[in-house]
Amino acid sequence: RQLATGMALSPFNPNTRRCVTSTPLEPVAAFVMANLARVRGTGAVLDPYAGSCATLLAAARLAPGCRTVGVERLHSGYVNL
C-alpha cells in the first residue's frame, strides 16, 4: 500500500529539457545531494560541472530563495556561465 507521495520529478527529467552533457545526473540523485548539502533559502549553490543543471534545479526547488550558479565548458573550449 502507498503511504505517501513525493513531488513529481518529471519536470526535472533530463529527457524533457536541453542538456549539454551526455551523462546527466538523475533527478533523484540531485535531490539527495541537495538534501545532504542542507540547501537553505538564503544560501548559494555553485555547480562547477552544470551540464544538465540537475543539481541547481533540485536546490532551487528545495530552497526557492537560494542563489544558484552553474559553470560549464562548451565543446568549443569556452566557459559558459
Side-chain angles (χ1 to χ4, degrees), residues 3-25:
L3 298 176
T5 59
M7 87 171 95
L9 295 178
S10 58
F12 302 100
N13 188 343
N15 298 332
T16 61
R17 55 191 170 78
R18 186 175 174 204
C19 293
V20 176
T21 181
S22 60
T23 56
L25 182 64

Side-chain angles (χ1 to χ4, degrees), residues 1 4 8 11 40 43 45 56 63 67 71 73 80:
R1 89 185 172 194
R40 300 290 181 247
V45 177
L56 301 176
R67 293 180 313 237
V71 178
R73 186 179 71 84
N80 188 14

